[in-house]
Amino acid sequence: MKKANKLFLAALLAVLGMNLQAKVMESSVATVNGRPVLASEYDNYLEGVVAQYKAAAPDFLKQPYAQDLLGREVLKELISKELLYQAAEEAKIQVKDSELDAGLNEIKARFMVDETTGKPDTKGADKRFTEALKKQGMSLKAYKNKLSKDIAVRKLMEQKLQATVTPVEEADAKALYANVEAVMKNNTKKIKALEKENPVKLKEAQAIAAKLKQLTGEQVRIGHIYLATTKDMKPEEIAKKEALAKQIKKELDGGMDFSVAVKKYTEDKNALASGGDMILIKGIAPKAIDDKAFTLAVGKVSDPIKSEVGIHIIKIKEKRAERSISYEDISRDLAQYLAQQRVQTAMGKYIEELYNKADVKITKTFESDALLKEEAAKQTDAKKAEVKK
């Protein structure tokens, strides 16, 4: 039971999360039982989400009203958080100073690495944390207040969900693995049976199988030197980058150590801590890079490779063949996944109950609002026309 409780708590922490944001301003995007959801908090949160999409899924942002879609989700999440804050307050959840200190230390631990050098720097953690707060326009006192509310919500959810969420048993994880294995081995008979019995479980198994195929597929560890190029760069600027890439390759061919070249030339500052090392899974990287990475021999350095985001020079350091994976390899991960799913489902139901009882007024408008109204009007007219027939 202790193991199940630890698993439940880990899942709860993963779902709840704790984020740095909020800048006190008077304008709001919504009110929840009369309390405002600040426009500044919405803007900061949305800015972070958009930045994540720019890095991980830039094509999504090219879709019409993509930012509206993200904005609606951000607003929904902020309203949910406010509902939970108020529920924790109503339940008179108390947060001890020791709990607040522990939470603050956990956040500060994320600032242990110096972004400039990519190296651990314990002494500078407090300074970087303070600078991050300043960028968000937030005082330490205000952040502690927000963190205290987050901890109170976590304690509330522990109380509410501990009694309602069923602990994950080994049989549950094994059943999920059996479904995933059927998909990975393309067991047509079992897949069809599962589709008929429970389509949701089939989609779940397919999603996990796709992820596992990536993780167990052919991999290569590379050293990576990156020079950024953008579509708005002038031709002469791109030409300078291309010339620099050729110069770097010449220096490497002349005997320069690859890790030295990374420190000297790469524009991917986040990679400095690892010396430019990264793992590529076959079929995931841009095709030009993928083709080189999986055809070059270990120890070889590529010529400059052009992609949509820049110019790359890679060194092949290690290769790993495709491998199989057993239940024992991922049993804990599957159990953690199931626990998170159960927590998310239970949280969703609880938040829906709070929402239905609350007085929520949304004042934020989106560019796509008019389009949605127009589409709704068209559907209404179409239904009326159908009735007349």
Side-chain angles (χ1 to χ4, degrees):
M1 181 57 72
K2 287 184 179 180
K3 185 177 179 182
N5 288 342
K6 286 181 179 179
L7 188 62
F8 171 85
L9 180 56
L12 181 61
L13 287 171
V15 172
L16 286 173
M18 292 181 185
N19 298 308
L20 273 173
Q21 57 226 355
K23 182 178 180 181
V24 177
M25 290 177 66
E26 292 184 2
S27 58
S28 64
V29 290
T31 58
V32 180
N33 294 322
R35 292 188 186 178
V37 175
L38 299 176
S40 58
E41 185 173 11
Y42 168 85
D43 291 338
N44 287 336
Y45 203 148
L46 180 59
E47 183 180 341
V49 172
V50 170
Q52 290 175 2
Y53 270 83
K54 281 181 179 177
D59 288 342
F60 173 82
L61 296 176
K62 296 176 185 177
Q63 298 178 35
Y65 302 108
Q67 190 148 322
D68 273 17
L69 292 172
L70 296 179
R72 292 178 195 280
E73 288 303 312
V74 165
L75 182 56
K76 181 179 177 182
E77 185 167 345
L78 290 177
I79 289 172
S80 296
K81 282 190 174 184
E82 182 57 35
L83 286 167
L84 290 171
Y85 288 157
Q86 292 183 24
E89 189 178 73
E90 186 177 343
K92 301 187 184 306
I93 302 293
Q94 299 296 315
V95 176
K96 299 177 182 177
D97 289 343
S98 58
E99 293 172 321
L100 183 57
D101 290 340
L104 195 60
N105 289 334
E106 182 184 338
I107 299 297
K108 286 183 177 181
R110 302 174 190 177
F111 295 85
M112 291 296 182
V113 176
D114 186 332
E115 291 182 359
T116 305
T117 63
K119 295 180 180 179
D121 175 26
T122 306
K123 292 181 179 179
D126 281 344
K127 182 180 178 182
R128 287 188 291 276
F129 171 70
T130 302
E131 288 174 350
L133 288 182
K134 285 182 179 178
K135 286 180 182 178
Q136 298 295 330
M138 193 179 230
S139 66
L140 179 59
K141 182 179 179 181
Y143 183 68
K144 282 185 175 181
N145 180 57
K146 179 185 179 301
L147 182 58
S148 179
K149 289 164 70 177
D150 287 337
I151 295 171
V153 166
R154 189 189 73 194
K155 294 177 74 172
L156 171 71
M157 297 314 296
E158 285 176 16
Q159 292 177 9
K160 293 287 183 181
L161 302 181
Q162 190 76 56
T164 58
V165 176
T166 307
V168 175
E169 304 291 344
E170 186 173 16
D172 301 324
K174 283 186 174 180
L176 176 57
Y177 177 78
N179 293 339
V180 172
E181 186 179 39
V183 173
M184 293 188 73
K185 292 183 177 180
N186 198 26
N187 185 332
T188 307
K189 184 178 180 180
K190 186 161 186 177
I191 290 172
K192 286 184 177 179
L194 186 58
E195 184 176 22
K196 185 177 180 180
E197 177 189 339
N198 195 325
V200 173
K201 284 190 175 182
L202 175 60
K203 287 183 179 179
E204 176 183 62
Q206 289 171 331
I208 295 173
K211 185 65 176 178
L212 287 178
K213 283 180 180 179
Q214 290 180 7
L215 297 176
T216 59
E218 187 179 350
Q219 296 182 10
V220 60
R221 181 168 67 88
I222 65 167
H224 181 223
I225 297 171
Y226 170 66
L227 304 177
T229 61
T230 59
K231 292 180 179 179
D232 58 351
M233 270 187 173
K234 295 178 181 179
E236 55 266 30
E237 292 176 315
I238 295 176
K240 283 183 180 180
K241 291 286 181 88
E242 292 173 344
L244 176 58
K246 289 179 181 178
Q247 177 193 322
I248 295 169
K249 178 60 165 66
K250 187 175 181 180
E251 291 179 11
L252 290 167
D253 290 343
M256 176 182 275
D257 185 87
F258 198 89
S259 61
V260 172
V262 169
K263 290 179 182 178
K264 185 176 180 180
Y265 292 113
T266 192
E267 294 177 7
D268 180 8
K269 301 304 180 185
N270 293 328
L272 288 175
S274 64
D277 278 19
M278 60 173 59
I279 301 294
L280 296 183
I281 301 168
K282 193 169 186 178
I284 302 300
K287 190 176 186 304
I289 298 175
D290 201 68
D291 289 345
K292 284 290 182 183
F294 289 93
T295 54
L296 281 175
V298 173
K300 295 294 183 180
V301 176
S302 73
D303 289 326
I305 305 166
K306 293 181 183 179
S307 75
E308 289 185 357
V309 295
I311 303 170
H312 317 260
I313 298 174
I314 63 174
K315 179 178 181 178
I316 310 305
K317 295 191 172 184
E318 183 183 357
K319 290 191 173 185
R320 192 183 77 180
E322 186 176 359
R323 62 192 178 94
S324 59
I325 194 162
S326 66
Y327 168 73
E328 287 71 24
D329 293 328
I330 58 170
S331 59
R332 183 176 180 80
D333 295 311
L334 292 176
Q336 179 68 31
Y337 166 80
L338 288 171
Q340 287 184 10
Q341 292 299 106
R342 292 178 185 184
V343 166
Q344 286 177 334
T345 299
M347 276 188 68
K349 289 180 179 178
Y350 179 61
I351 291 171
E352 186 178 2
E353 289 173 7
L354 293 176
Y355 196 101
N356 290 336
K357 292 187 293 184
D359 178 19
V360 178
K361 292 183 175 66
I362 296 175
T363 54
K364 170 68 180 174
T365 58
F366 297 93
E367 289 183 14
S368 58
D369 285 344
L371 186 68
L372 291 172
K373 287 181 180 178
E374 184 181 333
E375 185 61 32
K378 286 181 180 178
Q379 291 180 7
T380 301
D381 291 341
K383 288 180 181 178
K384 287 180 179 178
E386 191 67 29
V387 170
K388 288 180 178 179
K389 289 181 181 179

